[in-house]
Amino acid sequence: PNLFASTPVGMGKKTRTGPPKMPLLDSEDWLSPQLLGALHSIFHRFDADGDGMLNEAELQAFARACNAGTELDMDELEQIQQYFDTDDSGALTLKGFHEMYHTQTTSR
């Protein structure tokens, strides 16, 4: 059975199927707790060396997984380092990963 399927409410109303929609932003215009939890899991999935940062190879693995095999170009990598929280070597922190998604979420 589909656990997310809606029960018809009345004649002529559409039923919604699929997972329930989660809010992306909270009331303070920051990422919702649900989205932060999902991003935390995704970040740690791609943090292959477990150092709490996404280095260039880990970022490229993330990009390939999200973009049908396409990697980030040098300009995109430089923008990540310029606009989001990174360490001294340019690796993206979890905070930076959250910032990146906040920027993407609020720009759409």
Side-chain angles (χ1 to χ4, degrees):
N2 183 348
L3 300 177
F4 299 113
S6 298
T7 304
V9 177
M11 191 73 150
K13 291 190 177 186
K14 291 183 180 181
T15 60
R16 192 172 71 76
T17 59
K21 292 193 176 195
M22 299 286 182
L24 297 178
L25 300 175
D26 66 15
S27 61
E28 302 297 318
D29 197 34
W30 184 242
L31 303 174
S32 71
Q34 296 92 340
L35 181 54
L36 286 171
L39 292 176
H40 183 84
S41 296
I42 293 166
F43 181 90
H44 288 290
R45 177 179 174 197
F46 287 95
D47 181 14
D49 59 13
D51 67 352
M53 308 285 176
L54 296 183
N55 60 37
E56 184 176 333
E58 294 164 338
L59 273 171
Q60 294 294 18
F62 169 73
R64 285 190 304 273
C66 295
N67 299 308
T70 303
E71 291 191 344
L72 300 167
D73 62 31
M74 288 307 297
D75 186 50
E76 291 167 323
L77 289 170
E78 289 172 6
Q79 287 179 30
I80 288 171
Q81 291 177 350
Q82 181 179 1
Y83 293 109
F84 307 117
D85 191 56
T86 58
D87 70 1
D88 292 338
S89 71
L92 189 66
T93 66
L94 179 59
K95 177 183 175 185
F97 193 68
H98 291 165
E99 292 168 344
M100 184 173 72
Y101 267 87
H102 183 263
T103 299
Q104 183 178 15
T105 300
T106 57
S107 70
R108 293 188 179 212

